């Protein structure tokens, strides 16, 4: 049965009698587990043998009871308890849906981030076309699931071919040909998935336009005119000011305490003390950078928002902080840069700082810079999108 919504994780019932009868491929299970752990360790990660993030979100402290109960029938056949199973399954679905949509108050206890998520969700659901968007994305998710299933099937066949080759039962040239065929097939699947995501972006575009139109154009223009922009070219200044007007309209003026924007060093950054933004080297090639840095200033302006964001990443954490280099596989991060691990849209979301600031609103805001980015955040982590919207509509 599905363990998480839109996820390939499953709970598979297994009986000792099945094992005794040789119906369970223990060797394959062992190899699969060893391979998965090896892949995790290669990425600097460790397996989570405890509760899932979805269970933690809902205040679960112990593993769930078995979904299926073995019962001996008169004919000797092992039967499940269908009514009990369905009851538990309904609760699993509800828990997962609540966690996915941010309904995480447990036992009446409100978390600092709950109001932001609730406001953001209510605002998003008030937008025209949300129902049509959800219906469209549900269909697109099925397409992606089918594509990934076909790719998994091809990979399974390739692994079997590899076993034959290693056992000397398959010619190496034949195996190489199968590898090339799988890579070509995988490339085709990737391109098909990109088209699916493009359809999703087209469905999200009208909603994003409504968010951009929520703020006053004149107020946004006035805020931008009050910012000192020091860059090399007039064209770059014009580009930045145009971006800022769009951002401030979406944020309703939040983040407008910025006083100056200039180039300081290659890696873009935001300064709370100087009320400034360092553009970095790539602000024109990567338009999401300015959205990201303004997101930091939105958080700088509100202590309650900062505390809520910090509590949110801590509540989502699946373990102790780990090095960013290990979490991302990117060696550019310093050893001192750490983050809480979780299934965030990017490991950077969980990054921690000594002064308590976070990357929650900044990464959320950068995903508002285009319909495709906004769609991917809603697709991968709707709670994060709702938190971000709650921060700007609050």
């Amino acid at each position: 049965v599905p363990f998480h919504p839109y996820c390939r994780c499953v709970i598979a019932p297994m009986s000792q009698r099945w094992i005794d009868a040789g119906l369970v491929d223990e060797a394959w299970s062992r190899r699969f587990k060893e391979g998965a752990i090896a892949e995790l360790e290669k990425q600097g990660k460790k397996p989570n043998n405890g509760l899932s993030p979805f269970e933690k979100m809902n205040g679960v402290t112990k593993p769930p009871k078995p979904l299926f109960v073995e019962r001996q029938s008169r004919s000797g056949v092992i039967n499940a308890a269908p009514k009990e199973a369905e009851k538990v399954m309904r609760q699993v679905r509800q828990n997962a849906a609540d966690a996915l949509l941010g309904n995480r108050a447990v036992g009446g206890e409100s978390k600092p981030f709950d109001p932001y998520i609730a406001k953001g969700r209510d605002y998003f659901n008030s937008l025209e076309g949300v129902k049509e968007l959800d219906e469209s994305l549900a269909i697109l998710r099925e397409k992606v699931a089918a594509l990934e299933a076909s790719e998994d099937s091809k990979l399974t066949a390739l692994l079997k071919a590899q076993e034959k080759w290693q056992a000397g039962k398959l010619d190496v040239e034949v195996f190489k040909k199968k590898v090339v065929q799988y890579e070509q097939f995988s490339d085709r699947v990737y391109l098909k998935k990109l088209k699916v995501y493009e359809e999703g972006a087209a469905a999200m575009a009208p909603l994003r336009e409504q968010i951009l139109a929520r703020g006053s154009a004149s107020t946004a223009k006035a805020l931008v005119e009050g910012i000192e922009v020091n860059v090399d070219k007039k064209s770059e200044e014009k580009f930045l000011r145009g971006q800022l007007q769009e951002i401030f309209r979406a944020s309703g003026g939040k983040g407008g305490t910025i006083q100056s924007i200039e180039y300081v060093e290659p890696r873009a950054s935001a300064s709370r003390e100087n009320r400034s933004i360092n553009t970095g080297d790539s602000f024109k090639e990567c338009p999401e950078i300015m959205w990201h840095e303004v997101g930091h200033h939105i958080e700088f302006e509100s202590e309650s928002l900062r505390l809520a964001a910090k509590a949110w990443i801590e509540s989502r954490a699946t373990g102790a902080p780990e090095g960013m280099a290990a979490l991302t596989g990117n060696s550019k991060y310093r050893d001192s840069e750490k983050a809480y691990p979780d299934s965030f849209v990017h490991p950077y979301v969980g990054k921690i700082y000594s002064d308590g600031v976070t990357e929650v609103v900044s990464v959320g805001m950068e995903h508002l810079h285009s319909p495709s980015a906004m769609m991917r955040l809603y697709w991968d982590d709707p709670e994060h999108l709702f938190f971000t919207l709650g921060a700007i509509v609050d």
Side-chain angles (χ1 to χ4, degrees):
V1 295
F3 190 47
H4 302 146
Y6 309 119
C7 182
R8 288 179 289 178
C9 296
V10 295
I11 302 173
M14 186 179 294
S15 164
Q16 182 61 44
R17 293 178 177 84
W18 299 352
I19 297 174
D20 295 339
L23 300 176
V24 176
D25 190 343
E26 291 186 87
W28 178 88
S29 298
R30 185 169 58 254
R31 289 197 305 272
F32 185 85
K33 181 178 180 180
E34 290 171 352
I37 291 176
E39 182 63 27
L40 277 176
E41 291 175 346
K42 185 178 179 181
Q43 298 176 22
K45 300 178 181 179
K46 296 181 180 179
N48 171 24
N49 295 316
L51 297 169
S52 72
F54 288 87
E55 290 167 328
K56 290 180 180 179
M57 287 176 189
N58 284 277
V60 176
T61 57
K62 296 180 180 179
K65 293 180 180 179
L67 188 59
F68 292 89
V69 180
E70 289 189 16
R71 291 183 179 175
Q72 187 75 35
S73 71
R74 292 180 181 177
S75 61
V77 178
I78 303 302
N79 293 328
K83 290 184 179 180
E84 182 177 348
E86 181 57 32
K87 178 181 178 182
V88 176
M89 195 59 213
R90 281 200 301 271
Q91 188 60 49
V92 169
R93 291 194 190 102
Q94 184 60 53
N95 287 351
D98 287 347
L100 193 66
L101 296 177
N103 301 329
R104 305 199 319 195
V106 178
E109 179 186 355
S110 179
K111 309 295 183 183
F113 43 78
D114 285 334
Y116 290 101
I117 293 172
K119 287 176 184 176
R121 183 175 59 246
D122 290 345
Y123 170 71
F124 185 81
N125 288 335
S126 73
L127 298 175
E128 186 177 344
V130 169
K131 181 180 178 182
E132 292 78 6
L133 171 70
D134 286 340
E135 291 173 351
S136 176
L137 292 188
I139 295 171
L140 296 179
R141 284 184 188 278
E142 290 179 0
K143 289 183 179 180
V144 169
L147 288 169
E148 291 179 342
S150 64
E151 188 173 18
D152 287 345
S153 177
K154 293 288 185 182
L155 179 58
T156 299
L158 179 63
L159 292 175
K160 288 182 178 179
Q162 183 181 28
E163 289 179 0
K164 287 184 177 180
W165 165 63
Q166 291 173 336
K169 298 179 181 179
L170 185 68
D171 182 74
V172 64
E173 294 303 322
V174 175
F175 175 63
K176 287 181 179 179
K177 185 176 180 180
K178 289 182 179 296
V179 171
V180 172
Q181 290 173 340
Y182 170 75
E183 290 175 344
Q184 292 173 341
F185 180 82
S186 183
D187 288 342
R188 290 196 296 273
V189 168
Y190 174 75
L191 293 175
K192 288 179 180 179
K193 285 168 71 175
L194 284 183
K195 289 184 178 180
V196 170
Y197 295 140
E198 288 173 2
E199 291 182 47
M204 180 64 79
L207 281 77
R208 179 177 178 271
E209 288 300 317
Q210 294 174 63
I211 294 172
L212 295 182
R214 62 177 294 272
S216 164
S218 59
T219 299
K221 183 179 179 181
L223 286 172
V224 174
E225 289 175 348
I227 298 174
E228 183 180 353
V229 180
N230 297 311
V231 289
D232 292 337
K233 301 176 182 178
K234 282 288 184 183
S235 60
E236 292 178 343
E237 179 181 350
K238 183 178 180 181
F239 173 79
L240 286 170
R241 291 190 183 278
Q243 265 204 310
L244 288 169
Q245 285 197 44
E246 186 177 52
I247 295 169
F248 287 146
R249 284 203 69 182
S251 72
K254 286 187 170 61
T257 53
I258 299 167
Q259 294 182 345
S260 64
I261 296 177
E262 60 183 339
Y263 175 85
V264 179
E265 57 184 6
R267 188 171 167 180
S269 57
S271 171
R272 175 166 46 184
E273 293 74 18
N274 299 328
R275 295 187 179 182
S276 64
I277 289 177
N278 159 41
T279 63
D281 284 337
S282 307
F283 69 91
K284 287 203 74 173
E285 295 80 9
C286 305
E288 68 271 18
I289 286 176
M290 201 53 51
W291 286 80
H292 181 104
E293 303 307 338
V294 172
H296 276 302
H297 282 276
I298 292 174
E299 186 180 293
F300 294 161
E301 293 172 356
S302 171
E303 180 70 4
S304 63
L305 176 59
R306 182 188 68 79
L307 292 173
K310 184 173 182 290
W312 183 69
I313 59 172
E314 290 173 349
S315 76
R316 291 270 301 250
T318 56
E322 300 178 26
M324 281 293 298
L327 285 170
T328 63
N330 191 334
S331 60
K332 76 174 184 178
Y333 291 106
R334 299 181 294 272
D335 291 341
S336 59
E337 294 184 274
K338 298 184 181 299
Y340 285 109
D342 184 52
S343 54
F344 295 120
V345 68
H346 190 280
Y348 201 73
V349 177
K351 192 176 179 186
I352 53 179
Y353 295 89
S354 58
D355 59 358
V357 300
T358 77
E359 295 288 347
V360 176
V361 180
S362 55
V363 174
M365 284 296 293
E366 77 175 60
H367 278 83
L368 299 186
H369 93 277
S370 71
S372 58
M374 184 174 168
M375 186 280 295
R376 288 311 299 267
L377 183 58
Y378 185 52
W379 181 293
D380 292 333
D381 196 343
E383 184 177 79
H384 191 173
L385 175 62
F386 297 152
F387 187 104
T388 303
L389 293 176
I392 60 178
V393 303
D394 179 43

